[in-house]
Amino acid sequence: LYACSDGVKTRLENLMTKFGLPIKTEKTAARHSALRSEGRKPAMTNNKYKILLVEDDGSIRSIMTTMLESAGYQVISADTCGLAKTLFASHLPDVTILDLGLPDMDGMRLLEFVRKDSLSPIIVLSARNDDEDKVLALDAGANDNVTKPFSWRSCWRASAWF
């Protein structure tokens, strides 16, 4: 994992630039001041990129949180769409990893909610392996799709989006 972090960090910086998201620079500090003056939170805290992890399975959520935090990311997690909407609006994450099969509503609703106001990358992590579901998620604005069960290698492939 640590052997990959330099390469992941480089891909992250390239994608952050591509999506116009903040990278640790003097310009970022000025941008954060402007966001704060508008009553918004900057997308980065303590120089860590924020990932919103929306997963109802506690064991998967715990393992992914540990993996992402050990790679240097700040993870904000939710187990329902309702909580995820609140966390997305209040924390403005840089990337969202989204399970579609959530207990309170279909994760596609969160995907649509995020896409109304944000172009931040969304990686769908789902047990749905039907091509129709994958295409619907991608058409709705997801950037990538990882099917459960998954290997960590496939997750790191998807991490090219962040």
Side-chain angles (χ1 to χ4, degrees), residues 55-144:
E55 170 61 60
D56 61 324
D57 184 318
S59 59
I60 293 175
R61 194 172 56 248
S62 177
I63 290 168
M64 290 197 65
T65 297
T66 300
M67 180 191 78
L68 292 166
E69 286 177 346
S70 68
Y73 300 102
Q74 178 186 1
V75 179
I76 303 155
S77 60
D79 58 357
T80 65
C81 267
L83 177 58
K85 284 181 178 182
T86 301
L87 292 174
F88 186 88
S90 63
H91 290 279
L92 301 175
D94 300 301
V95 177
T96 300
I97 299 175
L98 173 63
D99 180 14
L100 295 180
L102 297 166
D104 60 340
M105 66 182 82
D106 192 324
M108 289 294 289
R109 287 192 179 171
L110 179 64
L111 181 65
E112 293 163 1
F113 171 82
V114 169
R115 279 295 170 250
K116 283 182 186 175
D117 298 317
S118 175
L119 294 176
S120 67
I122 299 171
I123 300 169
V124 170
L125 180 68
S126 180
R128 298 178 187 176
N129 57 9
D130 183 41
D131 284 341
E132 179 77 19
D133 290 327
K134 292 176 185 179
V135 170
L136 285 172
L138 293 168
D139 285 347
N143 297 87
D144 206 344

Side-chain angles (χ1 to χ4, degrees), residues 21-38 40-47:
L21 297 170
I23 297 176
K24 182 182 167 184
T25 64
E26 289 180 28
K27 288 181 181 179
T28 301
R31 187 178 315 138
H32 286 191
S33 293
L35 286 171
R36 285 187 190 99
S37 69
E38 296 171 6
R40 296 178 60 203
K41 288 185 179 182
M44 210 168 53
T45 302
N46 298 327
N47 298 325

